[in-house]
Amino acid sequence: MLKNMVSRERKTTIEFLLAFDDGHNNGFAFPCDGEGNVKNISPEGVENLAWCKEHPEAFVRYGEVIRIRQTYTEPARGTCECGEQVVLEEQYYGACECPKCGRWYSLFGQAILPPDMWEEELEEDW
């Protein structure tokens, strides 16, 4: 059994973009805060933002702050006997392998035999 198990968790991120586009999402969008203050952009991004502000006639949507909300599930994880962190994501028929030592675990964190030791189901005639 994996140690220090952490259950899967749903997480939500919210990001904002300052948009300059033709109304069909063709144009520019820059990362910003909720008030439209641009942050963390490259020197090329600074040049593009300056161009956008100088040419409002080129855009249907000019300087609009767009809010993007994304929800995702962080997978469960735990520590293998070898000390390596194992993320419980399906790699093979509901099982996953420790990337360091090769031990196999079910998606519930229970140690299981490696797939090459699993018995194949025999197809029977009905």
Side-chain angles (χ1 to χ4, degrees):
M1 183 82 173
L2 290 174
K3 301 173 191 167
N4 307 320
M5 286 285 294
V6 176
S7 297
R8 70 182 185 153
E9 179 182 0
R10 287 184 62 84
K11 294 189 176 188
T12 300
T13 61
I14 297 175
E15 78 180 281
F16 298 93
L17 298 173
L18 186 62
F20 298 84
D21 66 31
D22 64 0
H24 300 286
N25 297 321
N26 299 309
F28 298 89
F30 304 93
C32 67
D33 62 19
E35 283 77 48
N37 302 307
V38 176
K39 57 182 183 176
N40 302 327
I41 61 173
S42 67
E44 295 83 7
V46 172
E47 289 178 30
N48 288 335
L49 178 58
W51 186 89
C52 290
K53 288 183 176 182
E54 292 169 7
H55 297 88
E57 72 284 353
F59 306 104
V60 171
R61 185 163 49 178
Y62 177 81
E64 183 180 325
V65 176
I66 301 170
R67 180 179 185 260
I68 299 172
R69 180 177 190 251
Q70 295 179 331
T71 301
Y72 64 96
T73 301
E74 187 81 28
R77 60 196 178 282
T79 306
C80 180
E81 291 178 30
C82 72
E84 183 72 13
Q85 183 81 223
V86 177
V87 177
L88 297 175
E89 295 180 301
E90 183 171 352
Q91 295 174 346
Y92 187 78
Y93 290 102
C96 57
E97 182 180 20
C98 173
K100 184 177 178 184
C101 71
R103 283 186 180 91
W104 282 82
Y105 294 94
S106 73
L107 296 182
F108 297 102
Q110 299 165 316
I112 60 174
L113 292 173
D116 60 355
M117 297 182 73
W118 296 355
E119 290 183 28
E120 289 186 32
E121 272 189 41
L122 299 176
E123 200 171 298
E124 295 182 23
D125 294 340
W126 292 89

